[in-house]
Amino acid sequence: MPENRRRALLALGGIALAAVLAVLGHLEVNDDLSPWSLTVSDFAVSDRGGAIDVAMAVLAAATAVLIPALWRTGSGADPGGSRRAGGGRAPTGGGAPARPGRRPRVAGMLLSAWTAGLVTSAVVPTNEPGLPMDTAAYLHRYASVVAFLALPVAGWLLAGHLGGRAAGWLRALTLASLLLAGAMIWSAYPGERMLIGLAERLLIVTEVTLLSVVAVALARRPAGRVAEAVPGTAAAPAPLTSRELQLLASD
């Protein structure tokens, strides 16, 4: 099995496992907690080290597995990159592998930010519901903000890189993520946390779906493209077979 496909399938398995753990984490908490008015972090802090914290760590690991596969698809192939065939540059091949193009490279950094945000959110808890925020709670909040914003931007960049049906899905999911993030921000401040839990859970489902679309697209995509020949350069002739050499000698 090609390395890219293996990594993408492993990432999809991690995403599915994280989803199952997140659901279990909601079922195991105190019945007094409301998923409509409380965030996922509020549920997680009531069960430190429980299923929801593990789910965030598993989702971060699934993303980390996916990033090298993304870079392989961008080697010398992305229209936003600098290593294209033609234009006075020799095609990449034979020596060291080509660097990823600009879009997959930036998207990979954004996915790394999403991963770091998830890990930080899992390790550093927020405050208990109703208590004033401390330093750890603020760190948890802004790590979550970075993660929630980094993933949709990465999805928008990858829409142009991956193309096909994945492009339409990624653009739609990116716009939906940004709208839901705006709804969550409104709820957190002027909305007095009205339905903030619902807005956050819809945002998480949308962004995890976006990540799944990226993984499926990478599973179906070859690890790299063969660079086209430089214009004006003749292709090397194929070597003659022994039969053809005998015919030439007889002439």
Side-chain angles (χ1 to χ4, degrees), residues 66-67 89 104 117 175 207 237:
L66 206 56
I67 294 173
R89 289 177 181 256
L175 293 176
E207 296 208 350

Side-chain angles (χ1 to χ4, degrees), residues 74 78-83 99-109 157:
D78 182 53
S82 59
R83 293 206 170 199
R99 294 177 60 191
R102 189 184 313 138
R103 283 178 182 171
R105 189 166 65 248
V106 174
M109 290 188 290
L157 290 174

Side-chain angles (χ1 to χ4, degrees), residues 80-155:
S82 59
R83 293 206 170 199
R84 287 183 289 183
R89 289 177 181 256
T92 304
R99 294 177 60 191
R102 189 184 313 138
R103 283 178 182 171
R105 189 166 65 248
V106 174
M109 290 188 290
L110 289 168
L111 290 178
S112 298
W114 154 265
T115 302
L118 286 176
V119 172
T120 303
S121 299
V123 173
V124 182
T126 188
N127 56 294
E128 292 279 353
L131 296 180
M133 293 187 66
D134 55 13
T135 303
Y138 278 110
L139 178 58
H140 178 96
R141 170 181 287 184
Y142 291 116
S144 300
V145 169
V146 168
F148 282 142
L149 293 180
L151 184 57
V153 176

Side-chain angles (χ1 to χ4, degrees), residues 3-208:
E3 179 68 12
N4 264 22
R5 183 174 175 81
R6 185 181 69 82
R7 284 183 173 273
L9 292 177
L10 187 60
L12 286 169
I15 293 168
L17 176 59
V20 172
L21 289 171
V23 172
L24 292 176
H26 279 73
L27 297 176
E28 293 175 354
V29 298
N30 191 325
D31 292 339
D32 295 334
L33 299 180
S34 169
W36 312 113
S37 58
L38 295 176
T39 65
V40 173
S41 298
D42 293 330
F43 275 62
V45 75
S46 67
D47 184 27
R48 288 298 299 147
I52 292 178
D53 287 334
V54 175
M56 288 190 284
V58 170
L59 189 59
T63 308
V65 166
L66 206 56
I67 294 173
L70 171 64
W71 283 344
R72 285 191 183 93
T73 64
S75 298
D78 182 53
S82 59
R83 293 206 170 199
R84 287 183 289 183
R89 289 177 181 256
T92 304
R99 294 177 60 191
R102 189 184 313 138
R103 283 178 182 171
R105 189 166 65 248
V106 174
M109 290 188 290
L110 289 168
L111 290 178
S112 298
W114 154 265
T115 302
L118 286 176
V119 172
T120 303
S121 299
V123 173
V124 182
T126 188
N127 56 294
E128 292 279 353
L131 296 180
M133 293 187 66
D134 55 13
T135 303
Y138 278 110
L139 178 58
H140 178 96
R141 170 181 287 184
Y142 291 116
S144 300
V145 169
V146 168
F148 282 142
L149 293 180
L151 184 57
V153 176
W156 188 267
L157 290 174
L158 290 175
H161 173 64
L162 296 174
R165 291 184 178 179
W169 279 103
L170 290 175
R171 291 190 179 101
L173 290 166
T174 295
L175 293 176
S177 296
L178 295 176
L179 288 174
L180 289 167
M184 190 176 172
I185 293 171
W186 176 87
S187 178
Y189 295 102
E192 299 181 350
R193 298 179 65 86
M194 183 177 66
L195 296 179
I196 191 171
L198 176 61
E200 187 195 45
R201 284 164 178 80
L202 290 175
L203 174 60
I204 291 171
V205 169
T206 303
E207 296 208 350
V208 171

